[in-house]
Amino acid sequence: LTASRIRMARALDAGNAADTLMTFAVDASRFVDEVNGALLTIAEVWPEMGEALPLHTRFVAPLFSDRVFSYSEMSAPNAVFLRADPRGPLWYVELLVHETCHVWLASLMELIPMIHSDQTRRFPSPWRADPRPLIGILFGAHAFAVVARCLLLLLEHGTPYEDVVARRLAFESERVERGCRLLEQHGS
């Protein structure tokens, strides 16, 4: 991750015209340092994920949005966009794992389709306010199950943020269970 790449990347949430009018200042070196710090934390607590993550995520860019925390896009394979205003020391750890899971699963699904049910049907999402197709539930369940595993490993490894991590783990684990129940009930 280099500061020059960060300066060149400006990802805007196209769904919100207000975002395109907002001006954000990002300290590129701080963003790079925090993302690299998150990568080191991941590698320390979960060496296998530390090795897998750069295979699926090769470019990280700051996201300038007041609505979206992160995203990945099939039209930009192996790239993830992370909101450039960290909410805490583990912010980028969670977002990197989450978005890498989306990239990973999307790549796998190009080879092996996993959802064969009606994609026009929508279901209440454990993660979003808007109803989602079953494939969206699969992507959420997969990403947050892996995030939950990372949070568990952070707790086992020891973190000064134990209370926060434990609350996030409980919260996301419950939502993953709800997503998996939807997949079991409606997936084919």
Side-chain angles (χ1 to χ4, degrees), residues 15-112:
N16 184 352
D19 283 343
T20 62
L21 301 175
M22 298 174 79
T23 304
F24 290 88
V26 63
D27 178 343
S29 62
R30 179 177 173 216
F31 181 80
V32 170
D33 289 346
E34 289 176 349
V35 169
N36 283 333
L39 292 168
L40 290 173
T41 298
I42 294 164
E44 183 178 333
V45 301
W46 195 359
E48 298 84 0
M49 180 57 78
E51 291 176 17
L53 198 142
L55 297 175
H56 302 286
T57 299
R58 297 194 177 145
F59 182 80
V60 178
L63 172 64
F64 301 95
S65 174
D66 64 349
R67 296 184 322 130
V68 177
F69 293 128
S70 62
Y71 80 92
S72 51
E73 173 95 29
M74 283 309 296
S75 63
N78 301 101
V80 299
F81 301 86
L82 308 178
R83 198 150 118 188
D85 61 338
R87 301 283 169 106
L90 301 176
W91 171 260
Y92 289 125
V93 168
E94 190 169 331
L95 293 181
L96 281 166
V97 170
H98 175 100
E99 290 305 329
T100 296
C101 285
H102 286 335
V103 171
W104 187 3
L105 184 57
S107 298
L108 184 60
M109 288 183 69
E110 286 183 12
L111 301 171
I112 307 166

